[in-house]
Amino acid sequence: MKSIGYFLLCAGFIAAAYATALDVERVNWSLFGISALAAIVGVVLLKRHARALAQSDEVLENNRAELRGSIDNVVRDLQEIVSNGGLHGAELRERIDEKLRPDLTRFADARESMVHLFGMQTYADIMSHFAAGERYINRVWSSSADGYDAEAETYLHKAAEQFADAQRQLSDAAS
């Protein structure tokens, strides 16, 4: 179905472009309409395929494990960074990039499965805390790069709170 969808999408766009390029003065609207319809059918087929894939049991279970593992790692690593209060400047930025970024990316990549697993409201609640924590981490990184170590320390604690709340909500939803 995916291949047919891509074929219809590409063929529809190419045929529509061809229909508009045949004559400078007039457009062959019937050919253009059929071409546009083929492209739309291709998009619909691709969307249905993507939805079916996203809702498959295997993908949902893999993403459930990714969500829990990545948020647990973020909370653990962030707590380690907070408790090791002597990190500043380049050392702090390197630790963030090395320890937190991969797990933040893993969580973000798997986040859409939360809607199928727990519902839209739970997704919104968890992602609200996750997004705030991620913004705080970015602020820590920027503050550290600009030499504002006190601000970095403040927002490091705020990020830890947000990610702990996201972890708690994810655990509650999963049980």
Side-chain angles (χ1 to χ4, degrees):
M1 182 176 345
K2 184 178 176 183
S3 298
I4 294 170
Y6 278 122
F7 174 76
L8 286 173
L9 180 64
C10 292
F13 277 120
I14 291 170
Y18 178 73
T20 60
L22 284 175
D23 189 348
V24 177
E25 299 291 323
R26 294 180 301 196
V27 174
N28 183 345
W29 290 108
S30 59
L31 178 58
F32 182 83
I34 292 168
S35 303
L37 184 62
I40 291 169
V41 169
V43 169
V44 169
L45 288 175
L46 289 171
K47 286 292 194 181
R48 282 187 180 176
H49 176 74
R51 187 177 335 125
L53 188 63
Q55 293 177 346
S56 75
D57 292 338
E58 183 179 336
V59 169
L60 290 176
E61 285 308 311
N62 286 341
N63 284 347
R64 180 191 304 259
E66 284 291 309
L67 290 166
R68 292 192 100 183
S70 60
I71 197 71
D72 289 347
N73 289 346
V74 167
V75 169
R76 182 196 67 229
D77 293 340
L78 196 51
Q79 195 59 42
E80 178 185 309
I81 292 171
V82 167
S83 65
N84 189 2
L87 293 178
H88 299 292
E91 188 178 4
L92 176 59
R93 291 189 307 277
E94 287 173 13
R95 184 70 59 93
I96 288 171
D97 290 340
E98 176 186 310
K99 290 287 193 175
L100 299 178
R101 295 286 178 213
D103 288 312
L104 292 172
T105 301
R106 281 180 46 217
F107 188 91
D109 289 344
R111 74 183 180 271
E112 291 181 19
S113 290
M114 278 192 285
V115 174
H116 304 296
L117 290 167
F118 311 122
M120 184 61 85
Q121 186 59 51
T122 302
Y123 167 82
D125 294 341
I126 293 169
M127 285 309 297
S128 177
H129 290 290
F130 179 84
E134 194 171 30
R135 280 191 304 275
Y136 290 150
I137 288 297
N138 291 336
R139 188 158 184 177
V140 168
W141 199 98
S142 296
S143 299
S144 173
D146 294 339
Y148 298 111
D149 293 330
E151 183 179 349
E153 185 76 24
T154 299
Y155 281 95
L156 201 56
H157 289 281
K158 289 183 179 191
E161 289 174 18
Q162 291 296 323
F163 285 118
D165 287 342
Q167 180 188 38
R168 200 169 18 262
Q169 287 185 341
L170 183 62
S171 292
D172 290 347
S175 56

